[in-house]
Amino acid sequence: MAPQQSHHQRSRAARHRRTALVAAGMLAAVAAAVVVVEQVMPEGPEQVPLSEAVAAVAAGDVESASMDEAAATVLLTLQDGSSVTAAFPKAYAGTLTEQLVDAGAEVDTDPLRAPGLLSSLLPLLVMVALVGGLVWAMRTGALTGARSMKGRRGKQVDDVPSARFSDVAGCEEAVTEMRELVEFLRDGERFTRVGARPPRGALLVGPPGTGKTLLARAVAGEAGVPFFPLAGSDFVETYAGVGARRVRDLFDRARNSDGGIIFIDEIDAIGRARSEGPGHSGADTERENTLISMLNEMDGFDTDHRIIVLAATNRADVLDPALTRPGRLDRQVQVPAPDRRGRTEILTVHARSRPMADDVDLVSVARRTPGMSGAELAQVVNEACMEAARRGLHLVDSDCLDAAVATVALGRARTAALVTDFDRRVTAWHEAGHTVAALLLDHADDPVQVSIVPRGPAGGVTWMSGNDDMFLTRGRALADLRVSMGGRVAEELLLDGEFTQGAHGDLSAASARALAMVTKYGMSRHGYLLVDDDTVRMGGEVAHEVRAVAEELLRQAHRDATSLLTGNRALLTAVAEQLLEAENLTLAQLRVIQAEVAARDLGRIPVQAGARTREPA
Ligand code: ADP
């Protein structure tokens, strides 16, 4: 690498000399222009702020006006014979003309008939243009030579993203880590002065849609440097040499710019650990070449290039160790799926520029969207806005958000789907079974929303609040099994012991949970000895025993759900009937039904029923 570095240093010195020369030349020109302006410029009309000019118009002080639309200036001749000029925003020209005409001033829009104005402004314009040119040159790096290569090669001007850290929510730790990179990009010397090896790059690790790309863009945005993105999947099945060349081109572009963020999405597509031995396919070799080229490029930029490589992946464990060696992507930053607070923050970020009604409660939306990524939450907010538009509303209300959550989680409602009366009744009872079990069981999550509108493959859905607890207690695991069984049990109650295949999804989830309780969590009479999945799959005595215990858990859950729902048949019936009528019920509405049924049971009039609704009268 030594020759490369000395080349860099040489070119840097040359660049600095060139910069100094050109800058000195420009300054001399500006100084000369100032002298010329001072000597040549005649005593012109006084330049006043637009507000003052408009005030004069309004006060009727203006005799005549000459507008130069192209230069966006106006020369006003006042009643007392003096004249002033004012600049105005181009878009204001029409309004200003109207004001002048209304005020009875003689208006002229021909700049040639405004003697003195243009000629007196000309030297000033020359100077402004010169200074502007200098500023432009400084900003674009034309003087420093940073862009000159690019200009020669006809590359586009690289964009600095507008994203900021304030756009990224729910991953505070990752943002904190990224701030240091921004510090480096802004003021690298502070690091090198004290001998710190500046960061080369970082690996952002997390599931899809958690904001890794957004975070990388925000680093570039905060540091004011361009963003050079690249996706690993672009390289899959490319022609020989194309991947490696693309990598080189990208790094070249970044090097020719005055710093930047190189972002490689899905780096695992390129950076998987190199496989050993023979038996390589052509694609493997190609991928390897791309990876090697990337490693070379990463080693090749020295510290005066303010370039940081950020790469994103869901699987840090499969990456080639060469990529994560010190001096390369040696920092790992976790960008996990957001927890409840994180989800609230993400929703808030996306809702802040949208017109939200007062009844919107983002905390409650966050509570019932466990497992959703930042991207899905962004989609929820957007879908809610779409829903508001469809309903012709000016504000996005909580009904729109409820609908959006369901749409994003389960697919769009199939309003045109043909649903027979029988299917609707079965669905309503099935969902009411889950809902009532969840309402009544101590350790169960609350049902926040239940719907019998068909969506995607589902006939209906009961939406549980979910929670972000890391630990699952045995009580909650058992309650989950009973809630799962509630759907099947309700069908049996509706159909006098008959039932449908509608519980398939519930049974599959409950079976997996029950098996895990037996083989992994030590939560059954099977005891504490764990059993691996292969043993269960292979059959044999242990597998048989394990399955028997899991089945027992499910049977017990079915029995418990049966006694619970039989004992609360009035509530079950009421919820199912309301569902048939309203199609969707929220937790607040469910509580009202629960209170009414409880009051009826006690033979009382439900005087308090309204107190539980969202909008008390
Ligand atoms: P990833 O790169 O992790 O797959 P993205 O950054 O592409 O995810 O996320 C896609 C979009 O989802 C973002 O542009 C943003 O609108 C939204 N989003 C994702 N995560 C977050 C977050 N943590 N905060 C705010 N918005 C987010």
Side-chain angles (χ1 to χ4, degrees):
M1 285 301 119
Q4 201 178 351
Q5 282 192 358
S6 63
H7 166 75
H8 282 315
Q9 279 155 5
R10 264 201 315 275
S11 65
R12 203 152 43 102
R15 221 156 60 205
H16 286 159
R17 266 198 308 278
R18 198 167 60 232
T19 307
L21 272 174
V22 180
M26 286 285 231
L27 278 173
V30 170
V34 171
V35 173
V36 168
V37 167
E38 276 182 352
Q39 296 194 346
V40 174
M41 192 162 146
E43 276 284 332
E46 189 195 350
Q47 170 111 22
V48 298
L50 178 61
S51 51
E52 214 169 282
V54 172
V57 175
D61 289 347
V62 178
E63 166 102 16
S64 68
S66 189
M67 307 228 346
D68 182 351
E69 254 195 278
T73 45
V74 62
L75 173 74
L76 303 177
T77 307
L78 304 182
Q79 303 285 7
D80 63 8
S82 68
S83 49
V84 295
T85 73
F88 56 83
K90 281 212 162 109
Y92 189 60
T95 317
L96 188 58
T97 313
E98 275 171 31
Q99 284 170 342
L100 284 163
V101 172
D102 287 350
E106 188 186 317
V107 185
D108 182 346
T109 55
D110 185 352
L112 292 178
R113 287 220 253 133
L117 175 62
L118 203 68
S119 53
S120 65
L121 282 177
L122 202 60
L124 188 66
L125 290 177
V126 170
M127 195 175 110
V128 167
L130 262 175
V131 174
L134 188 65
V135 170
W136 170 83
M138 296 279 203
R139 284 179 55 115
T140 57
L143 284 181
T144 62
R147 300 270 161 157
S148 55
M149 287 272 287
K150 195 172 300 169
R152 275 205 298 277
R153 290 166 41 171
K155 285 267 163 64
Q156 75 280 20
V157 172
D158 299 304
D159 280 340
V160 176
S162 60
R164 292 290 180 272
F165 285 142
S166 57
D167 299 324
V168 190
C171 46
E172 207 41 58
E173 287 169 28
V175 170
T176 308
E177 295 243 18
M178 292 292 120
R179 279 188 200 283
E180 195 175 291
L181 300 186
V182 173
E183 296 291 307
F184 165 69
L185 286 167
R186 279 194 192 143
D187 182 13
E189 238 184 66
R190 191 155 58 103
F191 290 74
T192 44
R193 216 171 22 227
V194 293
R197 186 168 52 78
R200 284 283 171 81
L203 194 61
L204 303 172
V205 185
T210 46
K212 299 183 290 299
T213 311
L214 179 63
L215 202 51
R217 293 179 62 83
V219 173
E222 294 274 349
V225 298
F227 184 71
F228 305 97
L230 195 76
S233 57
D234 292 349
F235 298 105
V236 182
E237 292 186 29
T238 51
Y239 297 108
V242 171
R245 205 180 59 230
R246 275 199 202 154
V247 168
R248 275 198 304 274
D249 281 354
L250 190 79
F251 276 79
D252 272 353
R253 264 177 70 198
R255 255 195 289 266
N256 292 332
S257 163
D258 193 21
I261 296 290
I262 293 181
F263 178 68
I264 305 162
D265 204 0
E266 311 164 47
I267 192 167
D268 41 309
I270 318 170
R272 272 178 191 274
R274 281 168 275 189
S275 37
E276 307 278 326
H280 264 40
S281 71
D284 276 344
T285 319
E286 184 47 28
R287 192 172 55 72
E288 235 168 67
N289 289 339
T290 308
L291 173 61
I292 290 168
S293 146
M294 190 178 298
L295 295 174
N296 284 339
E297 294 294 339
M298 261 188 242
D299 293 339
F301 55 80
D302 49 49
T303 49
D304 51 289
H305 284 113
R306 298 179 308 143
I307 300 174
I308 285 181
V309 180
L310 293 177
T313 182
N314 194 13
R315 302 279 316 270
D317 53 320
V318 301
L319 290 183
D320 196 303
L323 265 173
T324 46
R325 209 175 278 158
R328 292 173 182 163
L329 302 173
D330 50 6
R331 294 184 176 201
Q332 274 201 24
V333 178
Q334 299 295 328
V335 189
D339 59 13
R340 193 171 76 209
R341 203 178 50 185
R343 290 194 302 274
T344 311
E345 288 167 7
I346 294 173
L347 288 164
T348 309
V349 161
H350 287 274
R352 73 185 166 197
S353 57
R354 264 80 172 234
M356 294 283 156
D358 286 345
D359 72 340
V360 165
D361 177 6
L362 295 177
V363 177
S364 120
V365 177
R367 194 174 296 130
R368 78 191 111 124
T369 45
M372 275 201 192
S373 67
E376 285 167 316
L377 294 166
Q379 202 191 339
V380 164
V381 175
N382 190 53
E383 185 60 41
C385 299
M386 301 276 287
E387 187 62 31
R390 271 180 224 125
R391 297 181 188 183
L393 303 174
H394 295 298
L395 295 176
V396 178
D397 63 15
S398 74
D399 282 348
C400 296
L401 268 164
D402 289 347
V405 168
T407 303
V408 172
L410 298 157
R412 199 164 294 287
R414 290 187 290 131
T415 40
L418 178 71
V419 185
T420 65
D421 272 353
F422 175 77
D423 286 354
R424 271 190 100 234
R425 278 185 77 73
V426 170
T427 306
W429 276 71
H430 183 109
E431 298 308 328
H434 292 309
T435 304
V436 171
L439 269 178
L440 297 176
L441 286 170
D442 270 348
H443 296 285
D445 295 331
D446 281 335
V448 276
Q449 196 176 336
V450 48
S451 161
I452 59 163
V453 178
R455 292 170 187 280
V461 62
T462 303
W463 198 264
M464 300 297 176
S465 61
N467 76 29
D468 291 297
D469 293 347
M470 205 164 55
F471 296 117
L472 172 74
T473 60
R474 180 167 163 278
R476 184 154 167 251
L478 289 172
D480 279 359
L481 292 184
R482 292 177 201 156
V483 172
S484 287
M485 286 297 177
R488 162 62 63 88
V489 168
E491 287 184 30
E492 290 168 354
L493 293 180
L494 172 71
L495 304 173
D496 286 331
E498 188 57 288
F499 48 82
T500 75
Q501 96 292 17
H504 168 77
D506 304 331
L507 293 180
S508 140
S511 304
R513 168 58 60 82
L515 267 175
M517 289 170 73
V518 179
T519 60
K520 294 194 171 78
Y521 310 157
M523 282 186 183
S524 74
R525 74 168 174 80
H526 176 71
Y528 308 118
L529 186 67
L530 304 191
V531 184
D532 62 44
D533 290 347
D534 284 342
T535 310
V536 178
R537 222 174 291 129
M538 306 280 273
E541 201 180 320
V542 177
H544 189 76
E545 146 87 4
V546 159
R547 285 171 178 283
V549 178
E551 169 69 14
E552 209 173 275
L553 283 175
L554 294 174
R555 281 185 189 282
Q556 186 58 47
H558 183 272
R559 275 196 296 275
D560 292 346
T562 306
S563 62
L564 183 72
L565 295 185
T566 321
N568 289 277
R569 190 163 180 146
L571 179 58
L572 179 68
T573 313
V575 170
E577 294 301 324
Q578 286 285 316
L579 261 179
L580 282 169
E581 202 171 304
E583 296 203 314
N584 293 296
L585 294 174
T586 60
L587 181 58
Q589 291 165 318
L590 288 165
R591 296 246 194 254
V592 173
I593 301 173
Q594 194 178 10
E596 281 170 354
V597 171
R600 218 163 43 217
D601 278 355
L602 291 171
R604 283 197 279 118
I605 310 289
V607 277
Q608 281 289 308
R612 288 278 198 169
T613 57
R614 249 180 301 144
E615 293 156 331

